[in-house]
Amino acid sequence: MLLHVARVSGGSRGSETKAAHCMPSDSTAASVQRVENEENKSVVEPEIIDTTVAPSNDGGSDEGGEGGAGGNGSSGGGHGGNSGDEGGEGKGKYWSEVSPFIASLSRGLEHFPGDFRRDIAEGLVPLQFVKKYVELQAKWLTRLLMKLPGFRNKLLADPSLLFKLGIEIGIGIITKCSAEYQKRKPHFKEEIDFAFANLLMALVADWMLVFLPAPTMVFNATHARRTGLPTLVFPFLRHVPKNVFQRVPLGMMPFSPIQRLGAIGVNGAKLFGIGTFASFLGVATTNGLIFIRGKLNPEDSGVRADDSHSQNVLKTSLLYGSYMGINSNIRYQCVAGIEDRILSRVFQSPGNLTIASAALRISNTYLGSLMWIDTLRLVGMQPKEEKEEK
């Protein structure tokens, strides 16, 4: 700022009167004021003293709203009065477009969870995803799930993820219960606990088959690289997309062909582990129930003769894990790609897109059931005259 000190010449008292006032930092010419002395009129010529203080480089004057140079935060303070030390100059390229929207919210940045708030304040989150977050908060279920960073980043990339999970789980319950009923029809009530154990195994697998290949937004790549044991052991996993057909999200670097092919291997390894664990849990539970029933009532255990022998837990688990890691992995990545790149362009109406997506997933589940039966028959674990749904 420029401090103007007025020196009074002339007058019988011979005294000098000083008047100081603050001028805006962008003034280039000094103002001249005339002061009438009580005894003699004289012209006051300003003496300019430059007391300008270089502005700090910490994102603007954070206290601009409380008596900065402009007095009301409009000069030198930028957005400091609204965002404190979390906004202003020196931030990422998206902060300038996001800050007005943040200022319009009643709670400002406090509306967002801590890690997401930091990304927004650093200008790493485009405006469309900030608005999408606020929209998703309107529903209680998504509001609850948005508290989990992994779920939040997937919902921001694909708001229809919950619908797809619901479709897959619903189809899984119907097809699995139908298969269990057909298999155990004469004794279904007595063996309902076996059916329930197998149903849990299938639902865990169905959930992960949809969740893993779903696209994910990564706003702070530096933070993402520091988290997760797999990325620490295998650094190349940091840049692999969630599925081979994933479109490049806004603000992210394009994926190379090698990275896209890597998505098949990464998801395949995850699904192999998940499938093996889910099958181990289901088969072990079933074998445990058979053992307990046989001990409690050997003559009327409620187990049919063809079910009385326990399954090989390790062999069944490894087979199911391999099936999920190879067959199911490729099928569900294709489904995700078809939905994202074809159906979303062909069907502009949300209702038509929903119907098309549901039909695609029902067909995929039915195809998976047939292929699972063929796999069991191929390794000799399923008699050719029997049929079993996945």
Side-chain angles (χ1 to χ4, degrees):
M1 72 180 55
L2 299 179
L3 182 62
H4 296 259
V5 179
R7 189 179 305 276
V8 181
S9 61
S12 59
R13 294 184 179 179
S15 61
E16 294 180 353
T17 304
K18 295 183 179 180
H21 63 283
C22 295
M23 298 293 289
S25 58
D26 57 353
S27 297
T28 59
S31 63
V32 179
Q33 62 179 10
R34 297 182 179 275
V35 179
E36 292 187 1
N37 190 277
E38 293 180 354
E39 298 179 346
N40 188 18
K41 294 183 178 179
S42 60
V43 177
V44 181
E45 298 179 355
E47 177 182 350
I48 302 176
I49 303 175
D50 190 355
T51 59
T52 303
V53 179
S56 60
N57 191 25
D58 58 355
S61 175
D62 297 336
E63 300 298 328
E66 297 181 4
N72 59 1
S74 61
S75 176
H79 296 288
N82 292 331
S83 59
D85 58 357
E86 293 182 305
E89 299 177 359
K91 300 301 181 181
K93 61 180 180 179
Y94 298 114
W95 175 250
S96 59
E97 67 180 31
V98 169
S99 56
F101 179 75
I102 297 296
S104 67
L105 300 176
S106 58
R107 296 174 54 193
L109 283 173
E110 296 299 324
H111 188 84
F112 306 91
D115 57 335
F116 194 47
R117 180 169 63 244
R118 287 191 297 270
D119 293 343
I120 294 174
E122 293 175 5
L124 303 176
V125 184
L127 179 60
Q128 69 180 78
F129 293 105
V130 178
K131 290 183 176 180
K132 191 178 295 184
Y133 176 90
V134 175
E135 294 172 359
L136 290 171
Q137 289 285 71
K139 299 179 180 179
W140 70 270
L141 181 57
T142 53
R143 182 168 61 251
L144 181 64
L145 294 175
M146 294 285 277
K147 296 179 180 180
L148 305 174
F151 231 116
R152 179 178 65 237
N153 293 338
K154 286 185 176 292
L155 285 173
L156 289 175
D158 183 10
S160 62
L161 175 61
L162 286 182
F163 166 76
K164 296 174 182 178
L165 285 170
I167 287 291
E168 197 68 33
I169 295 300
I171 295 172
I173 292 175
I174 294 173
T175 56
K176 190 62 180 177
C177 288
S178 176
E180 290 292 329
Y181 179 76
Q182 292 296 327
K183 179 181 178 181
R184 308 177 188 276
K185 186 182 299 183
H187 311 278
F188 183 75
K189 290 183 178 180
E190 294 83 359
E191 301 177 8
I192 194 170
D193 46 356
F194 297 104
F196 183 72
N198 291 335
L199 177 62
L200 286 180
M201 177 188 71
L203 293 183
V204 170
D206 290 341
W207 176 279
M208 299 308 298
L209 282 169
V210 179
F211 187 81
L212 286 180
T216 303
M217 289 302 305
V218 179
F219 301 109
N220 192 336
T222 303
H223 175 72
R225 292 171 186 174
R226 293 196 302 262
T227 58
L229 181 59
T231 57
L232 294 177
V233 179
F234 306 103
F236 65 89
L237 299 181
R238 300 167 183 169
H239 308 289
V240 173
K242 292 302 179 182
N243 68 75
V244 67
F245 302 105
Q246 178 181 347
R247 287 191 291 185
V248 180
L250 181 65
M252 294 179 63
M253 295 295 293
F255 303 114
S256 68
I258 299 299
Q259 291 171 340
R260 291 190 177 278
L261 291 177
I264 299 178
V266 171
N267 280 357
K270 292 179 180 178
L271 290 173
F272 172 78
I274 293 170
T276 301
F277 174 77
S279 179
F280 180 88
L281 187 63
V283 174
T285 302
T286 301
N287 290 347
L289 291 173
I290 293 175
F291 177 80
I292 293 174
R293 284 189 174 192
K295 290 295 183 180
L296 294 178
N297 193 351
E299 297 181 356
D300 187 17
S301 62
V303 180
R304 289 177 292 155
D306 57 349
D307 283 343
S308 58
H309 299 287
S310 299
Q311 302 180 60
N312 187 314
V313 178
L314 182 60
K315 183 179 179 180
T316 305
S317 301
L318 291 176
L319 177 64
Y320 191 69
S322 300
Y323 177 82
M324 282 191 62
I326 300 174
N327 186 294
S328 299
N329 175 33
I330 295 175
R331 283 190 295 106
Y332 277 85
Q333 292 213 33
C334 291
V335 168
I338 293 173
E339 287 179 333
D340 190 31
R341 292 185 174 270
I342 299 178
L343 296 185
S344 61
R345 297 179 179 179
V346 174
F347 301 97
Q348 301 296 329
S349 171
N352 294 336
L353 179 60
T354 298
I355 295 174
S357 178
L360 175 64
R361 291 189 173 274
I362 291 173
S363 301
N364 177 61
T365 302
Y366 179 74
L367 176 63
S369 300
L370 297 179
M371 299 183 76
W372 172 238
I373 294 174
D374 291 338
T375 302
L376 290 174
R377 289 174 176 173
L378 183 64
V379 298
M381 295 180 64
Q382 174 73 48
K384 291 186 177 181
E385 66 272 12
E386 294 185 5
K387 292 185 179 181
E388 179 182 357
E389 292 285 341
K390 168 176 171 280

